[in-house]
Amino acid sequence: MESSTLKKVHIFSGLDDTELAAVNEIIRVKKFNKGDMVFFDTEPYLGFYIVKTGLVKIYKISKDGKEHILHLVSSGNTFAEVPLFENLGEIKEDDFRYPANAMALEDGTETILVPAHKFKLLLENNRTICLKMLSGFAKRLRHLNRHIEELTLMDVTKRVANFILSEYINKRKTKKDAKEETLPYITLHISKNDMAAYLGTIIETLSRTFKKLHDDNIIEVDGKKIYIKDLEKLRQLAA
Amino acid sequence: MESSTLKKVHIFSGLDDTELAAVNEIIRVKKFNKGDMVFFDTEPYLGFYIVKTGLVKIYKISKDGKEHILHLVSSGNTFAEVPLFENLGEIKEDDFRYPANAMALEDGTETILVPAHKFKLLLENNRTICLKMLSGFAKRLRHLNRHIEELTLMDVTKRVANFILSEYINKRKTKKDAKEETLPYITLHISKNDMAAYLGTIIETLSRTFKKLHDDNIIEVDGKKIYIKDLEKLRQLAA
DNA sequence: CGTAACCTTGATTAAGATCAATTCTCGTGG
DNA sequence: CCACGAGAATTGATCTTAATCAAGGTTACG
């Protein structure tokens, strides 16, 4: 693999070429189509993953089939690193399972598997990766805390408003289009079903919420596009 | 402070005496009574905390006063470390706030403040602390994921059953009393109100749930003690 | 242009929150 | 030792939100 790909991965971004080569040595690329499983929560833990291209959802399923999405991972980001550090020191990887399910959401999704035991050796001798990993974990923790806050303290409307808003802020941050949009909008990269499962609700309720927001002249939903007709009202709702 | 106290703190447990002395140099002990605030989510970030003795709750409050407890921190454990790693590299600590509120739940709760900037220097030169911190974060992440799973996929009864069960398992793990109890029980260290806020519900619903479990001959609640009358049924409920 | 996946809408139900009224518990001072 | 009062917990009645069940409509794509 070209080391340019690895450099774009947050936890490897500070490494020099020798270190990158060492990483390159141990990784393995896998390709998936939409709907393919990267792993089940019943499988033994092999190592963590990086999304090279595409999108992966990390989710849990209840006994009666209800799904909740914990995390949506886009390219350049890692997932399933947590089990790495739960038995540091000991080398036994047996009976370690993946903590959730992972499914590719787009055709042509490519992931990079970083095997646990080989990576650990690398980690223990490399402070840079260690610190990057810490900052990655910190980011995730903040995100999860926020997620819990939303799930427990906000109703569905507030959660939807927050979702749209943070997608919009995110979009503005990454690709700062010189030209201001006439009508600001976001593009959904996931199905409405997945959006509902991420927001801790179901598709029917999400649909009704969209309708309500539309009737209040706040948004306009057209397929995968959500137009923001009244940013100020949306902000108020989300607060 | 005696270094024996620091040794009991997970992230410092692998340090030698020189390193411990360095840590000892920078910390500051604070004392609280029940109900005292350790910090508000509006305060500027000074550093993270260790609970020396007592109990601290980390929580969020919604606009309309609803409270949700993210985390209960008992002695030997750390909290509010996340903001440490969100601006690694840059030294500006300005406009960093604590991400949630922290309140002491017991009289005589003592906390140790570890100042951010001084600790960062220590961290960047100490792989042991770095790795310990990673494993601490991993533990927290797993816990939060589990928490979200419970909040989104389980009803209140299931959550209560899980809470009692994991408290019980935890108790059995830490103090392995030689003598098996006639009737297994747990002792609540928090108020029912706090228990409800932790489980994402309210005290009335918790009370009703206790009653239901009591009527089904599964538990017996007596003040701060919850007796487990039918461990097997409790396990089934929790699953 | 047919069919499957996706989405919307309506009617109904259920879980749990809210509101309100007691009751219980326990520490304090008389 | 008892009475008091405050905070904590229980219980009942009612209300609200969102889930469930059911049916129909839309879209996309071979």
Side-chain angles (χ1 to χ4, degrees):
Chain A
M1 165 172 313
E2 335 74 66
S3 73
S4 66
T5 306
L6 283 181
K7 268 185 195 153
K8 282 178 201 141
V9 178
H10 173 253
I11 58 164
F12 297 138
S13 61
L15 301 190
D16 63 35
D17 289 343
T18 326
E19 292 169 321
L20 280 177
V23 173
N24 216 346
E25 202 61 26
I26 65 172
I27 62 179
R28 218 156 73 214
V29 177
K30 296 189 193 177
K31 241 182 155 165
F32 300 93
N33 283 320
K34 189 174 172 172
D36 288 350
M37 295 302 293
V38 181
F39 53 71
F40 287 96
D41 61 4
T42 49
E43 286 177 33
Y45 186 71
L46 303 175
F48 72 93
Y49 283 87
I50 303 162
V51 178
K52 195 181 164 198
T53 53
L55 190 62
V56 173
K57 73 171 172 185
I58 313 295
Y59 66 101
K60 280 276 184 184
I61 295 220
S62 74
K63 275 236 170 85
D64 48 336
K66 217 174 126 189
E67 170 184 331
H68 183 77
I69 297 179
L70 291 164
H71 195 202
L72 291 164
V73 192
S74 54
S75 70
N77 294 301
T78 52
F79 60 100
E81 324 90 313
V82 171
L84 266 184
F85 302 99
E86 301 212 299
N87 62 341
L88 261 176
E90 302 122 72
I91 314 287
K92 51 157 185 181
E93 257 114 49
D94 354 308
D95 70 74
F96 264 77
R97 314 260 142 196
Y98 282 97
N101 305 288
M103 180 193 281
L105 291 185
E106 292 174 4
D107 279 344
T109 292
E110 286 182 289
T111 67
I112 300 167
L113 170 63
V114 184
H117 54 293
K118 286 181 190 162
F119 179 72
K120 270 192 204 166
L121 300 176
L122 221 75
L123 184 80
E124 275 162 28
N125 292 306
N126 193 306
R127 215 171 43 229
T128 311
I129 299 186
C130 213
L131 289 171
K132 292 271 177 189
M133 210 116 205
L134 271 172
S135 97
F137 273 5
K139 208 170 131 195
R140 186 83 50 83
L141 276 166
R142 185 171 283 248
H143 180 258
L144 282 182
N145 279 327
R146 170 81 188 163
H147 199 132
I148 291 183
E149 191 188 341
E150 289 183 356
L151 290 169
T152 53
L153 301 178
M154 300 179 187
D155 60 20
V156 173
T157 306
K158 254 196 164 66
R159 280 181 259 160
V160 170
N162 266 292
F163 181 89
I164 296 173
L165 213 54
S166 62
E167 283 293 296
Y168 180 62
I169 291 167
N170 209 37
K171 179 190 165 199
R172 305 243 53 186
K173 216 187 301 176
T174 49
K175 31 177 160 171
K176 36 178 103 182
D177 300 350
K179 50 175 182 244
E180 188 77 24
E181 291 145 0
T182 336
L183 194 59
Y185 71 96
I186 62 165
T187 309
L188 290 180
H189 302 288
I190 54 177
S191 70
K192 305 250 164 91
N193 234 317
D194 280 339
M195 180 172 166
Y198 181 72
L199 293 175
T201 183
I202 58 175
I203 191 168
E204 292 97 321
T205 302
L206 181 62
S207 189
R208 283 182 243 270
T209 306
F210 278 153
K211 200 186 173 194
K212 201 171 59 186
L213 293 177
H214 175 257
D215 290 350
D216 293 349
N217 251 296
I218 298 175
I219 63 168
E220 173 93 43
V221 183
D222 179 17
K224 291 272 171 218
K225 291 226 163 103
I226 301 178
Y227 297 92
I228 302 172
K229 292 167 79 180
D230 193 333
L231 188 56
E232 202 35 56
K233 267 200 212 160
L234 192 68
R235 279 218 187 85
Q236 278 170 29
L237 260 187
Chain B
M1 166 174 307
E2 333 74 65
S3 74
S4 66
T5 305
L6 283 182
K7 268 184 197 154
K8 281 176 203 144
V9 179
H10 174 253
I11 57 164
F12 299 138
S13 61
L15 302 190
D16 63 36
D17 289 342
T18 326
E19 293 169 320
L20 279 176
V23 173
N24 215 347
E25 201 60 27
I26 66 172
I27 62 178
R28 217 157 73 213
V29 177
K30 295 190 195 179
K31 241 182 156 165
F32 300 93
N33 282 321
K34 188 174 174 173
D36 289 349
M37 296 302 293
V38 182
F39 53 72
F40 287 95
D41 61 3
T42 50
E43 285 177 32
Y45 186 70
L46 303 175
F48 73 91
Y49 284 87
I50 303 161
V51 177
K52 195 181 165 198
T53 53
L55 190 63
V56 172
K57 73 171 171 184
I58 312 296
Y59 66 101
K60 279 275 184 185
I61 296 219
S62 74
K63 274 237 170 87
D64 48 335
K66 218 174 124 189
E67 170 183 329
H68 183 77
I69 297 178
L70 292 163
H71 195 203
L72 292 163
V73 192
S74 54
S75 70
N77 294 302
T78 52
F79 60 101
E81 325 89 313
V82 171
L84 265 184
F85 301 99
E86 302 212 299
N87 62 341
L88 261 177
E90 302 124 72
I91 313 288
K92 51 156 185 180
E93 256 115 49
D94 355 307
D95 69 74
F96 264 77
R97 314 260 142 197
Y98 282 96
N101 305 289
M103 180 193 280
L105 291 184
E106 291 174 4
D107 279 342
T109 292
E110 285 182 289
T111 67
I112 300 169
L113 170 63
V114 185
H117 53 293
K118 287 182 189 160
F119 179 72
K120 270 191 202 165
L121 300 175
L122 220 76
L123 184 80
E124 274 160 31
N125 293 305
N126 194 305
R127 216 173 41 230
T128 312
I129 299 185
C130 213
L131 289 171
K132 293 272 176 188
M133 210 116 205
L134 270 171
S135 98
F137 273 5
K139 209 169 130 195
R140 185 83 52 81
L141 276 166
R142 184 169 285 248
H143 180 257
L144 282 182
N145 278 328
R146 170 81 187 162
H147 199 133
I148 290 183
E149 190 187 342
E150 290 184 357
L151 289 169
T152 53
L153 301 178
M154 301 178 185
D155 61 20
V156 172
T157 306
K158 254 195 164 66
R159 280 181 257 158
V160 170
N162 266 293
F163 181 90
I164 296 172
L165 212 55
S166 62
E167 284 293 295
Y168 180 62
I169 290 167
N170 208 38
K171 178 190 166 199
R172 305 242 54 185
K173 215 187 304 176
T174 48
K175 29 178 162 170
K176 35 178 106 180
D177 301 349
K179 49 177 180 244
E180 187 80 22
E181 291 145 1
T182 336
L183 193 57
Y185 71 94
I186 63 165
T187 309
L188 290 180
H189 302 288
I190 54 177
S191 70
K192 305 249 164 91
N193 235 317
D194 280 339
M195 181 172 166
Y198 182 73
L199 294 175
T201 182
I202 56 175
I203 192 169
E204 292 98 322
T205 302
L206 181 63
S207 189
R208 284 182 243 269
T209 306
F210 278 153
K211 200 186 174 193
K212 200 171 60 188
L213 292 177
H214 175 257
D215 290 349
D216 292 350
N217 252 297
I218 298 175
I219 62 168
E220 173 92 42
V221 183
D222 180 17
K224 291 272 171 219
K225 292 227 162 103
I226 301 177
Y227 297 92
I228 301 172
K229 291 167 79 179
D230 193 332
L231 189 56
E232 203 36 57
K233 268 200 212 160
L234 192 68
R235 279 217 188 85
Q236 277 171 29
L237 261 188

